[in-house]
Amino acid sequence: MQPSMQAYGKTDVGRVRENNQDAFICGRLPDDALFVVVCDGMGGANGGNVASALAVKVISDRIVDIYRDGLASGSIRNLLESAIAAANVEIYDTAMADLELRGMGTTVVAAIVKGRELSLAHVGDSRAYLVGPEGLEQITRDHSIVQAMVERGQLTQDEAKNHPRKHFITRALGVEETVECDYCELAIPEGTRLLICTDGLTNMVEADDIYALLQSGEEAGAPDRLIHAANMAGGSDNITAVLVA
C-alpha cells in the first residue's frame, strides 16, 4: 500500500501588515483522506481576520462532521459547496450585525484529497497548483478584475502582474447573501504534489522560483522556504502556503 499524502502548512504576517488576515487548517479524515482550507480575509482593521477565521472554522467543522468512509465524489462536491455556502451566510450575517465589520469578506480554497483524488472548491484569488516534474500548473482561476481583463485580451499576463487593480477580486465569501464557487476534481499523478497558497506568496515570488524552492529541500520545510522568499521580496502582504505531498 502506498503511503498516504501529508499536509505541511504555515502562515506569516509578512513585513508590512500589522495583523495576519490569512487563516488555514489541515486535517486528517476517515479513509486516510486529508482536508485543507486556506483563506485570505479582507475589509477593515478587524474584518479580514474575523472573516477568514470564521470561514476556516465553519468549513472545517462541516467537513469533519459530514465526511465518511467511502463518500462518493458527488457527495464530496456537495459537502464542499454546502460548507462554503454556510460560511458565506455566517460571515455575511456577522457583518450585517456589526457596523465595524460591514463589508468584510475572504477568499477560500477548500480541498479534500482521498488517495490521490483531489476535490477542490474555491472563491477569490487564493490559488492551488499541481507541482509536477515539468513545473507548476495552476488549477484554480482567479476571480479578479485583472484575470477577467486577461481573458478578454485587454491585458497580457505580464501586464497583469503589476496592474494597479490586481488586488480587486470579483467574488468573495461574506460580501453578499450568496456566493458562487468554482469546483474541480482531478487525479494527482504519482510524483506530483499540491500547493495551496494566498496571493501574499504569488504576488511576491515568481512561479519558477516557487517551483525551485519546492524542489530544493525537505517537503516539511517547503512552507518556511516559500514564506522566507516572499518576505525577502518585500513581504507586502500576509503569506500562507500549504504543501500536500
Side-chain angles (χ1 to χ4, degrees):
M1 207 170 115
Q2 34 174 271
S4 58
M5 298 186 89
Q6 305 287 330
Y8 309 97
K10 190 171 182 183
T11 188
D12 188 83
V13 70
R15 297 178 66 181
V16 175
R17 301 288 175 91
E18 287 187 5
N19 59 6
N20 193 348
Q21 301 195 337
D22 285 4
F24 83 98
I25 190 171
C26 310
R28 186 68 68 185
L29 295 165
D31 264 359
D32 213 20
L34 271 178
F35 75 92
V36 178
V37 183
V38 171
C39 294
D40 178 358
M42 61 194 194
N46 311 313
N49 46 0
V50 173
S52 60
L54 262 177
V56 163
K57 181 174 189 337
V58 171
I59 294 167
S60 61
D61 283 355
R62 187 167 283 228
I63 290 171
V64 169
D65 286 348
I66 295 174
Y67 189 89
R68 297 286 178 271
D69 281 347
L71 206 59
S73 63
S75 301
I76 294 175
R77 175 176 187 163
N78 186 50
L79 167 55
L80 288 173
E81 290 180 342
S82 64
I84 285 173
N88 185 75
V89 169
E90 188 86 17
I91 297 163
Y92 181 80
D93 288 352
T94 303
M96 282 297 149
D98 184 342
L99 269 176
E100 287 187 14
L101 299 176
R102 221 34 88 75
M104 71 175 176
T106 183
T107 70
V108 64
V109 180
I112 292 175
V113 181
K114 181 170 74 170
R116 300 196 73 87
E117 295 297 317
L118 168 66
S119 303
L120 182 145
H122 88 283
V123 177
D125 65 353
S126 295
R127 292 178 178 177
Y129 294 89
L130 290 182
V131 186
E134 306 297 314
L136 292 185
E137 178 194 347
Q138 187 177 334
I139 54 176
T140 52
R141 176 181 156 269
D142 292 354
H143 300 139
S144 67
I145 288 175
V146 164
Q147 178 61 29
M149 290 170 76
V150 168
E151 288 169 9
R152 288 197 297 265
Q154 295 167 310
L155 282 180
T156 66
Q157 288 288 2
D158 271 353
E159 289 167 338
K161 282 179 193 165
N162 300 306
H163 195 278
R165 298 177 79 191
K166 72 177 180 183
H167 295 297
F168 287 59
I169 59 176
T170 51
R171 286 189 222 170
L173 289 198
V175 179
E176 296 176 1
E177 285 184 80
T178 60
V179 71
E180 182 189 353
C181 65
D182 286 0
Y183 179 82
C184 69
E185 282 172 19
L186 50 89
I188 302 174
E190 285 294 331
T192 297
R193 295 163 290 168
L194 173 70
L195 172 68
I196 299 175
C197 59
T198 58
D199 67 349
L201 174 63
T202 51
N203 284 337
M204 289 283 119
V205 187
E206 293 289 340
D208 288 349
D209 296 326
I210 292 174
Y211 185 69
L213 287 162
L214 289 171
Q215 305 298 86
S216 69
E218 292 289 321
E219 282 158 347
D224 278 308
R225 295 194 297 276
L226 295 173
I227 285 168
H228 178 72
N231 278 326
M232 288 298 97
S236 67
D237 199 354
N238 311 139
I239 313 145
T240 301
V242 178
L243 182 68
V244 178

